[in-house]
Amino acid sequence: MKRHLISAADLTRDDAVLILDTAEEMARVADRPIKKLPTLRGRTVVNLFFEDSTRTRISFEAAAKRLSADVINFSAKGSSVSKGESLKDTALTLEAMGADAVVIRHHDSGAPHRLATSGWIGGSVVNAGDGTHEHPTQALLDAFTVRRRLIGPDAGLGKDLAGRRITVVGDVLHSRVARSNVHLLTTLGAEVTLVAPPTLLPIGVETWPCEVSYDLDAVLPKSDAVMMLRVQRERMNAAFFPTEREYARRYGLDGDRMARMPEDAIVMHPGPMNRGMEITAEVADSPRCTAVEQVANGVSIRMAVLYLLLGGSEPATTPHAVTPNTVRPEEAQ
Ligand code: NCD
């Protein structure tokens, strides 16, 4: 694995399977009465969030804490960023605090790459979503969810998603989740189809390693998993579809449409959901929808990523593993 996680395209099949398998170990820790591992004791993880987030921010925080890292949460609102401080000066401040990893979410595509290649900080950089570009840990937790649901936790170990048919539906144009998923799912051997109105597909989508369709009803019966994307109003500066009703009628998933999917096929959503827009409440609350499971899986995936980037070669889940940063009781005197 590389030192940073900026793009899902940076991951080889072996890297991705290693992360999924490590996340399986981490998920087992979540079933223990004491959910904490000493693996990253003495390490500092900074969550640097320039954009709103519920799931991703608390998920990284929970993941770092379960690995015993010290966690510093920084959000642009209420910080010196609102006084005009630059990314560089913010980064230099974090470096002075001794950050071993910086998890960054930023409204500008490319900000995590800039942080990783600038030399401003010495630690690992993890992209937690940059503009409309990438969100690699979301793609990893989505792949993990598909593997667990369609193959099973133990049977899935070491396996990729060869031959699984995954359909991604909606606002692809503004979605970093879609781009990261297309990269990662195809690396893992899945067949990906994007379904969207032509106005919500990015220029150059024909060069992506996936199929494109405008007809949701035709694709649903051939899907093992259907991933609904949020319509990202905050990124829209024009009218991309006539009305919300029209969008929901053509591209929304309701109970009737879900019935066209194969019996074991699952419905996914990264959250936050626009209920009544891309997904009806009936589908969102059905047992076939994995949205809440995806959140739980996100913690295991982010534990795996932080462990693999920072933890080195020590076994991840041995309860009393002594890592180079573990202070032995006699040393602590
Ligand atoms: C996604 C994001 O922020 O890119 N959500 C998430 O991380 N769980 C998708 C979205 O906002 O629609």
Side-chain angles (χ1 to χ4, degrees):
M1 283 235 330
K2 296 188 174 175
R3 188 157 65 93
H4 309 290
L5 179 57
I6 306 297
S7 161
D10 293 340
L11 298 170
T12 63
R13 182 217 173 258
D14 287 350
D15 289 337
V17 171
L18 175 65
I19 297 171
L20 301 188
D21 288 352
T22 308
E24 249 350 304
E25 282 185 60
M26 298 301 180
R28 268 176 229 136
V29 174
D31 297 333
R32 293 184 189 168
I34 297 170
K35 298 180 174 42
K36 222 164 160 120
L37 297 169
T39 323
L40 296 186
R41 226 166 106 179
R43 303 292 186 102
T44 301
V45 175
V46 177
N47 287 324
L48 183 58
F49 278 64
F50 291 86
E51 210 188 69
D52 296 346
S53 172
T54 301
R55 275 154 282 267
T56 306
R57 194 176 54 74
I58 59 177
S59 175
F60 269 108
E61 183 175 350
K65 285 183 170 164
R66 284 193 190 167
L67 293 171
S68 306
D70 293 323
V71 182
I72 299 175
N73 288 315
F74 171 101
S75 81
K77 273 184 207 137
S79 78
S80 289
V81 170
S82 48
K83 299 180 190 164
E85 187 161 36
S86 66
L87 180 61
K88 177 176 179 177
D89 288 326
T90 307
L92 293 176
T93 304
L94 302 181
E95 180 65 4
M97 305 266 178
D100 295 294
V102 176
V103 176
I104 175 172
R105 167 167 288 198
H106 203 284
H107 37 79
D108 290 337
S109 301
H113 179 259
R114 183 88 181 101
L115 204 58
T117 53
S118 60
W120 301 329
I121 53 165
S124 293
V125 176
V126 181
N127 181 2
D130 61 331
T132 57
H133 178 228
E134 284 238 23
H135 193 355
T137 58
Q138 179 69 42
L140 283 161
L141 76 87
D142 290 337
F144 186 64
T145 304
V146 173
R147 197 176 76 163
R148 291 199 114 192
R149 272 285 190 126
L150 299 185
I151 308 179
D154 289 325
L157 281 180
K159 287 216 176 115
D160 61 17
L161 301 177
R164 306 287 158 167
R165 299 159 304 172
I166 300 168
T167 302
V168 180
V169 186
D171 185 0
V172 179
L173 180 64
H174 301 105
S175 178
R176 50 199 178 203
V177 174
R179 187 186 299 265
S180 287
N181 262 301
V182 169
H183 284 309
L184 184 76
L185 295 173
T186 51
T187 298
L188 287 169
E191 292 161 21
V192 182
T193 304
L194 299 176
V195 180
T199 49
L200 287 177
L201 286 167
I203 293 168
V205 73
E206 59 285 349
T207 64
W208 293 21
C210 58
E211 299 289 317
V212 175
S213 167
Y214 308 125
D215 186 353
L216 182 55
D217 290 322
V219 180
L220 287 176
K222 298 178 276 180
S223 306
D224 299 311
V226 177
M227 189 183 298
M228 303 308 296
L229 299 172
R230 182 172 66 88
V231 176
Q232 304 205 11
R233 289 241 174 249
E234 77 279 18
R235 299 190 203 278
M236 293 186 185
N237 51 10
F240 287 88
F241 44 83
T243 62
E244 291 193 1
R245 258 183 76 180
E246 175 74 6
Y247 181 88
R249 203 176 59 77
R250 297 247 354 229
Y251 295 99
L253 192 61
D254 60 11
D256 288 345
R257 284 217 162 100
M258 187 167 69
R260 291 169 183 252
M261 292 165 46
E263 214 177 304
D264 302 333
I266 55 171
V267 176
M268 307 174 74
H269 196 301
M273 293 191 258
N274 290 316
R275 286 171 182 248
M277 182 81 169
E278 70 267 2
I279 191 165
T280 61
E282 180 193 358
V283 176
D285 296 331
S286 88
R288 298 178 77 173
C289 179
T290 60
V292 177
E293 218 170 293
Q294 285 167 262
V295 176
N297 288 342
V299 178
S300 305
I301 279 291
R302 285 158 183 142
M303 286 174 78
V305 166
L306 290 174
Y307 163 72
L308 290 168
L309 291 179
L310 299 182
S313 49
E314 290 292 324
T317 56
T318 313
H320 302 295
V322 177
T323 71
N325 289 297
T326 304
V327 180
R328 293 182 182 83
E330 63 275 15
E331 293 166 354
Q333 305 290 302

